[in-house]
Amino acid sequence: MPARASRFKALQGAALPEYAPPDPATGVSTMRPALAFALSIALAGPVAAQDPCGMGGCADAGTAITDPLSAEERRLSEREVFLLASEILAVSGLVNTFKIEETMEVLNAAAYLEDQERWIGFNPLWVRQFRDLPTNDRWPLYAVVAHEIGHHLLGHTIVRGGSRPATELQADEFAGFALHALGANLAQAQALWQDFGATGSATHPARGLRLAAVEKGWRASAGRAGLALPGDATDPDDTAPSIRQRPDAATPGDTGAQAAPAVPAETRPHDTIRPEMSERAVCAPLPKGGLRGRVCASSALGVDHVARLTDNDRRAPWTEQEPGPGSGSRMLFDFATSISAQRLTVVNGDNTDEKAFRRHARLEGLTLRGSNGHERVIVVRDNRREQTWTLAGFEGVDWIEVIVDSVIEGRRYDTLAVARLRID
């Protein structure tokens, strides 16, 4: 166990909480077992010993949880938390400079300082349970990391005293703000807090206050985008999506994005220069029945090869043709008219079968850049399922560039494969 992680006291008699996806009828997630302090996110200040208080309450010191994970699983979990932190910080225009480590001495995550550096420690067992869940069932994991980032950004980790109701509410509010910016609706943003204790304590506020803080941050994010807020502010089960869209943009049930009214170039405040593609770039028309325009890849075997990015055949992938595993590859979605993008859909790797999937390099981290100046960092999970993200902030764009920041290298082939990468 890393030496710095010993600052945390283990939690006695507390089983690791298992995340349960939202109930289809209520949209509310539950944790099992439903302990008042089951979700312990320790707030560690600059002193060596901290109380084991966290996001959901406090517990007595005891024996550390046994670590059944392999070294490879622990490495992958650490990388995933780092990328999640990068994605959360990117919506605030910040670069991720946090240090990330795994520790079995907290139930899920903790924020603390060590040698004048900001650390987030996490329990890889808690992270692992989210690895293969659909995007919309992973919001509690985003909420945990966002809450800890909030403690760092708000200066809580440089103040002695551990957890206090006021600082917990501030971190909750930041988490709500970040979750809206990432595309969570209000019910998804509040899911993590639903099982917290109804009454407060000397260190933690009551559940109602915490849910209100998350909602306050969520709505502040929507208001900052200059939007009409979806849903009734008094309804805790508000499921209206947090898509930053123009009044005439597509509704959440639409299968494609609506074309936004054309805006003269000289009046667009954040237009950026259209990126230049290399001589090896190949372009293909976007599929009929959707957005009009083309998609270009920085390298490809031909037009039909590029078209594989947006077709419905997940067993025929696009593969990059440059030397190396694919980091730095680029795709450019060039639209015929200005559009308000609604979602990104990705099917990672070569989906011919599981063996082909593991043999080729796969996507890990992406950056999306729009013609309106908006940027978004995306963390792609390493599985064969379809993954989707709400593209809040990409309204009135003429083009969106997709940059491959990092990949997971293949076991056999030094080639990046992507079965689907589509913007609607």
Side-chain angles (χ1 to χ4, degrees), residues 20-108:
D23 183 285
T26 64
V28 176
S29 171
T30 59
M31 295 286 177
R32 302 186 300 268
L35 302 177
F37 53 82
L39 293 174
S40 177
I41 300 181
L43 168 60
V47 292
Q50 289 291 326
D51 58 46
C53 292
M55 199 171 168
C58 299
D60 296 327
T63 305
I65 302 170
T66 303
D67 182 2
L69 297 177
S70 67
E72 177 67 7
E73 284 182 304
R74 293 165 69 170
R75 184 191 70 80
L76 291 175
S77 294
E78 183 172 315
R79 179 63 177 165
E80 180 167 16
V81 172
F82 176 84
L83 291 170
L84 284 173
S86 299
E87 190 172 353
I88 292 164
L89 286 161
V91 299
S92 298
L94 302 175
V95 176
N96 185 8
T97 59
F98 294 139
K99 304 295 184 181
I100 310 293
E101 69 172 352
E102 63 85 20
T103 172
M104 302 304 294
E105 294 188 12
V106 295
L107 282 184
N108 43 38

Side-chain angles (χ1 to χ4, degrees), residues 41 55 138-148 175 179 189 192-193:
I41 300 181
M55 199 171 168
R138 287 164 54 88
W139 290 114
L141 178 57
Y142 278 90
V144 164
V145 179
H147 179 96
E148 294 308 324
L179 289 170
L192 179 69
W193 287 262

Side-chain angles (χ1 to χ4, degrees), residues 125-136:
L125 283 174
W126 200 82
V127 172
R128 184 177 64 176
Q129 64 188 317
F130 293 92
R131 183 168 297 166
D132 293 329
L133 291 181
T135 302
N136 282 339

Side-chain angles (χ1 to χ4, degrees), residues 19-32 136-137 139-140 185-196 207 211 235-239:
Y19 175 68
D23 183 285
T26 64
V28 176
S29 171
T30 59
M31 295 286 177
R32 302 186 300 268
N136 282 339
D137 290 341
W139 290 114
N185 64 41
L186 183 54
Q188 292 164 342
Q190 293 179 320
L192 179 69
W193 287 262
Q194 293 291 349
D195 285 327
F196 286 3
R207 178 177 59 212
L211 290 171
D235 181 7
D237 292 326
D238 179 10
T239 57

Side-chain angles (χ1 to χ4, degrees), residues 125-324:
L125 283 174
W126 200 82
V127 172
R128 184 177 64 176
Q129 64 188 317
F130 293 92
R131 183 168 297 166
D132 293 329
L133 291 181
T135 302
N136 282 339
D137 290 341
R138 287 164 54 88
W139 290 114
L141 178 57
Y142 278 90
V144 164
V145 179
H147 179 96
E148 294 308 324
I149 289 174
H151 278 313
H152 275 309
L153 297 184
L154 293 164
H156 301 160
T157 49
I158 63 174
V159 178
R160 293 176 179 268
S163 300
R164 296 184 301 278
T167 58
E168 291 302 309
L169 289 176
Q170 290 171 2
D172 291 343
E173 185 174 338
F174 173 81
F177 184 98
L179 289 170
H180 174 277
L182 289 167
N185 64 41
L186 183 54
Q188 292 164 342
Q190 293 179 320
L192 179 69
W193 287 262
Q194 293 291 349
D195 285 327
F196 286 3
T199 59
S201 68
T203 58
H204 290 79
R207 178 177 59 212
L209 293 175
R210 307 196 71 172
L211 290 171
V214 175
E215 180 172 348
K216 181 180 178 182
W218 187 91
R219 294 185 178 278
S221 178
R224 190 170 180 175
L227 306 177
L229 294 171
D232 180 1
T234 63
D235 181 7
D237 292 326
D238 179 10
T239 57
S242 62
I243 299 173
R244 298 179 183 180
Q245 59 187 17
R246 296 170 179 266
D248 58 344
T251 59
D254 288 346
T255 57
Q258 290 282 87
V263 180
E266 62 273 13
T267 66
R268 297 176 191 162
H270 303 297
D271 266 14
T272 56
I273 299 175
R274 185 186 306 273
E276 294 290 337
M277 301 295 286
S278 70
E279 293 182 357
R280 288 177 56 86
V282 179
C283 301
L286 293 175
K288 293 181 179 180
L291 300 175
R292 293 185 296 112
R294 63 178 184 168
V295 56
C296 303
S298 55
S299 66
L301 294 174
V303 174
D304 291 345
H305 195 232
V306 176
R308 294 179 179 183
L309 287 166
T310 55
D311 65 18
N312 292 321
D313 186 0
R314 56 193 296 167
R315 293 179 178 273
W318 164 84
T319 52
E320 55 83 24
Q321 301 299 307
E322 298 288 355

